[in-house]
Amino acid sequence: MKPALCLVAMGVLVMDSSPQCTKQLLSERFGRGSRTVDLELELQIELLRETKRKYESVLQLGRALTAHLYSLLQTQHALGDAFADLSQKSPELQEEFGYNAETQKLLCKNGETLLGAVNFFVSSINTLVTKTMEDTLMTVKQYEAARLEYDAYRTDLEELSLGPRDAGTRGRLESAQATFQAHRDKYEKLRGDVAIKLKFLEENKIKVMHKQLLLFHNAVSAYFAGNQKQLEQTLQQFNIKLRPPGAEKPSWLEEQ
């Protein structure tokens, strides 16, 4: 297997497929190589990956909820139409069928409003997970690749430094020193980039989720309390507009 393929096969995105990087990767793989560790940063990265997995679960459940709500709305709408039709054709039960048809109509209206709120919630979580978190994790992957390269050329330099000194080795040593310094600069820059992105991601996550959890709570509470006015006020508060019932599934909303 070629060095580049080794790096990809082991899940490390390393552009440098040099023998030094391949050797470093294999050494770490088998627990023999020395590895630079930033404990605080790596704990934050692992926490991000765990958080992303949990948010992906919430996203999946939110999508399932919108599908169930949509199906419920379709059933309520059809049931309301059936009651309305029977109200016209059954004089002796006109009143009973009539108020049941009105009840289903009201439930549909409230359900559409709830579905709009839940869809907005799901859309926001999706953006947070697939765009914001993923963007930070892409920088993390670049940082991890740079860390491997840095350690590879650091080890190479250390081994050359311990070897015999002659005219030939001095030239190789100077070249190795320059290569090591370039990879060290790249590693330190990406480590700083990751730290900054993690900080901004955490701030953004708190801001987004504060708004979305408030929306979700208010909308669900108002729906199950049968409070149509509060439901509508919730959508107005978060600038959510419902699409007409003829719009295609799954979205019933559009953000201003």
Side-chain angles (χ1 to χ4, degrees):
M1 185 179 287
K2 294 180 181 179
L5 295 177
C6 287
L7 300 182
V8 173
M10 293 187 179
V12 180
L13 298 176
V14 182
M15 296 303 294
D16 190 334
S17 58
S18 64
Q20 291 93 334
C21 288
T22 304
K23 179 181 176 182
Q24 179 68 25
L25 183 62
L26 292 173
S27 296
E28 292 182 12
R29 178 79 170 179
F30 295 105
R32 294 196 299 265
S34 120
R35 179 177 182 273
T36 300
V37 177
D38 185 326
L39 285 176
E40 183 179 355
L41 190 61
E42 292 200 9
L43 284 173
Q44 291 180 51
I45 291 170
E46 183 54 37
L47 179 60
L48 169 58
R49 287 180 169 138
E50 182 182 354
T51 300
K52 185 172 182 283
R53 287 192 293 269
K54 291 179 179 178
Y55 275 59
E56 285 170 340
S57 177
V58 171
L59 180 59
Q60 182 180 11
L61 292 170
R63 286 171 172 162
L65 178 59
T66 61
H68 291 313
L69 285 173
Y70 183 85
S71 179
L72 175 62
L73 282 173
Q74 297 298 100
T75 302
Q76 288 176 329
H77 190 274
L79 188 57
D81 287 346
F83 284 152
D85 182 59
L86 285 167
S87 174
Q88 298 299 318
K89 297 176 180 178
S90 306
E92 69 282 2
L93 292 171
Q94 183 176 16
E95 183 180 350
E96 287 83 354
F97 276 126
Y99 60 64
N100 273 284
E102 287 300 315
T103 298
Q104 293 303 314
K105 182 179 178 181
L106 177 61
L107 286 173
C108 279
K109 183 176 181 181
N110 288 349
E112 288 168 6
T113 308
L114 176 64
L115 185 58
V118 174
N119 263 321
F120 187 79
F121 174 82
V122 169
S123 176
S124 297
I125 300 297
N126 181 64
T127 299
L128 182 64
V129 171
T130 64
K131 303 280 193 219
T132 314
M133 290 185 180
E134 190 59 35
D135 174 72
T136 301
L137 285 172
M138 283 302 298
T139 305
V140 166
K141 289 177 182 178
Q142 293 170 5
Y143 156 73
E144 290 173 337
R147 194 280 309 159
L148 180 72
E149 293 166 6
Y150 162 68
D151 280 335
Y153 289 103
R154 174 184 55 78
T155 301
D156 185 55
L157 178 62
E158 289 172 353
E159 290 175 354
L160 280 173
S161 299
L162 295 173
R165 300 294 180 90
D166 55 37
T169 57
R170 277 197 296 271
R172 290 198 299 272
L173 190 60
E174 289 175 2
S175 176
Q177 178 66 49
T179 303
F180 162 73
Q181 188 60 49
H183 283 281
R184 179 180 180 178
D185 292 344
K186 178 182 176 183
Y187 163 70
E188 291 181 346
K189 179 184 180 302
L190 281 165
R191 181 172 61 180
D193 291 346
V194 169
I196 291 170
K197 283 201 171 186
L198 286 170
K199 179 177 181 294
F200 285 138
L201 173 60
E202 183 64 20
E203 292 173 355
N204 185 57
K205 183 191 74 175
I206 292 172
K207 181 180 177 181
V208 169
M209 292 309 300
H210 175 78
K211 175 181 177 180
Q212 294 306 318
L213 291 171
L214 181 62
L215 162 67
F216 191 85
H217 174 270
N218 289 353
V220 171
S221 298
Y223 174 79
F224 283 103
N227 192 331
Q228 181 182 353
K229 183 178 180 181
Q230 186 180 340
L231 256 176
E232 292 172 350
Q233 288 176 343
T234 297
L235 264 67
Q236 291 172 3
Q237 178 184 355
F238 292 94
N239 299 319
I240 302 171
K241 288 184 178 180
L242 292 179
R243 288 182 180 177
E248 291 185 2
K249 182 188 176 186
S251 179
W252 289 70
L253 62 105
E254 56 189 17
E255 183 181 2
Q256 283 186 338

